[in-house]
Amino acid sequence: MLTERQDLILKSIIEEYIKTASPVGSKRIQEVLSIEVSSATIRNESALLEDQGYLEKAHTSSGRVPSTKGYRYYVDNLMESNNIDDIKLQIDEIFKKRGATIDEVCSKISSILSEMTKLATVVATSDTNDEVLLSKVELVPISDRSAIVIFVLSNGTIQNKTVNLDSVSLEELRLSIDLFNERLINSKISEIETKSQAMIPVLKQQVKKYEFVLQTLVGALIHTDSNKSKTSGVKYLLENPEFNDPNKIKDIIQFIENASPFAWFNYQSKTNKTTVAIGLETGNENDDIAVIGTNFPTKGGGKGALALVGPKRIEYDKVSKLLEWISKKIEEKFLLEGE
């Protein structure tokens, strides 16, 4: 753990960077800190935080920016609740309207969230798959650069997923699929996500980019015809300076299109807590991306997920509390009230 002073300095740098998207120098840190600290001390502490991997030195200035490790420490240890009353008032009006379906409510909420946070919103709902089992997984190479993974389900449904071999080798993919066939055959689709987590220690030993493989395969498998997914606010997302690079724009759009929110987070039907995936934790090779989301149960034993996707410079405190509140409101309206 860090010292109390290091906590304050790291917290100040992260929150200032979230607001400005600009590297933070020692002078600005001194201005926003709640304690009296000399600029020399700030520079020394910042250097120590950089050495420990919590901060990164900006190439074009003397300021520093948070690293993925720094953001993770902030989310786990330093984050405080932020004022979200204005957004709550707007969203609360949506819940007051009678007769609206869960899809209509989530669609309107998504639009408001994207506009006010400058993040892309992905909402997905899935009917229960309790009776459908995974029967078989097959790998079909189609070129030097791609292969198709085929999932055969007990109800006769066949799911296909094309995998880019620039991201993972054919041999690693084959090893992963062998493990799927060994560990997950005859498992319920609704249990695949949870069971796949138990495979991580073995998969990690054999596959270098095991997170990417796991997210890709599980995301494709649980993204069946009974799932509905909608993305909003990509235009707002692209206003963030992190995505001025055309290659980064392409990467994050592909990430949103190809992944399922159910693959980003472990679904737990008895909790409305938010989950945060930062950088490589998302299973994507681009370390600049972060996802924050929540889940909620739906009628008939189904499930839903609401996620915001953007740069690592997300207002984690504000967004996490807001999503947690929205999840509870959805459950109250569509399950407890029986609407």
Side-chain angles (χ1 to χ4, degrees), residues 138-151 159-174 177 212 216-217 220:
E138 295 183 351
L139 176 64
V140 180
I142 56 176
S143 73
D144 292 338
R145 302 191 63 182
S146 62
I148 294 177
V149 180
I150 301 173
F151 302 95
Q159 296 289 112
N160 297 326
K161 177 65 179 179
T162 301
V163 179
N164 189 332
L165 297 180
D166 290 338
S167 301
V168 61
S169 72
L170 184 63
E171 181 59 27
E172 287 181 319
L173 192 57
R174 196 184 307 277
I177 290 171
F212 169 79
T216 299
L217 297 184

Side-chain angles (χ1 to χ4, degrees), residues 87-249:
I87 305 179
K88 277 186 175 181
L89 285 173
Q90 291 190 47
I91 293 176
D92 205 35
E93 292 300 314
I94 297 171
F95 285 106
K96 290 179 181 178
K97 294 181 181 179
R98 299 188 63 83
T101 66
I102 191 169
D103 290 338
E104 291 170 340
V105 167
C106 287
S107 178
K108 291 177 180 177
I109 289 173
S110 297
S111 298
I112 292 174
L113 283 176
S114 291
E115 185 174 359
M116 301 194 77
T117 62
K118 302 302 180 185
L119 304 171
T121 306
V122 183
V123 61
T125 55
S126 175
D127 297 332
T128 181
N129 280 314
D130 282 346
E131 302 306 317
V132 181
L133 309 178
L134 175 62
S135 297
K136 189 177 183 181
V137 187
E138 295 183 351
L139 176 64
V140 180
I142 56 176
S143 73
D144 292 338
R145 302 191 63 182
S146 62
I148 294 177
V149 180
I150 301 173
F151 302 95
V152 181
L153 309 184
S154 62
N155 63 355
T157 301
I158 296 177
Q159 296 289 112
N160 297 326
K161 177 65 179 179
T162 301
V163 179
N164 189 332
L165 297 180
D166 290 338
S167 301
V168 61
S169 72
L170 184 63
E171 181 59 27
E172 287 181 319
L173 192 57
R174 196 184 307 277
L175 287 168
S176 303
I177 290 171
D178 287 345
L179 194 58
F180 262 61
N181 280 314
E182 179 186 331
R183 301 286 187 92
L184 300 179
I185 293 304
N186 295 323
S187 295
K188 294 179 181 179
I189 299 302
S190 58
E191 298 173 346
I192 290 292
E193 192 172 2
T194 301
K195 285 188 173 183
S196 67
Q197 298 301 305
M199 294 166 41
I200 290 178
V202 178
L203 193 63
K204 188 176 181 179
Q205 291 178 353
Q206 302 182 40
V207 180
K208 184 177 180 181
K209 297 180 180 178
Y210 70 95
E211 291 177 322
F212 169 79
V213 172
L214 196 62
Q215 296 281 11
T216 299
L217 297 184
V218 173
L221 184 55
I222 63 180
H223 192 69
T224 65
D225 291 338
S226 61
N227 293 347
K228 291 179 287 185
S229 181
K230 182 180 179 182
T231 302
S232 305
V234 173
K235 66 178 181 180
Y236 298 116
L237 169 68
L238 298 183
E239 292 178 13
N240 289 285
E242 288 88 345
F243 303 118
N244 289 336
D245 184 337
N247 290 325
K248 290 188 176 182
I249 293 173

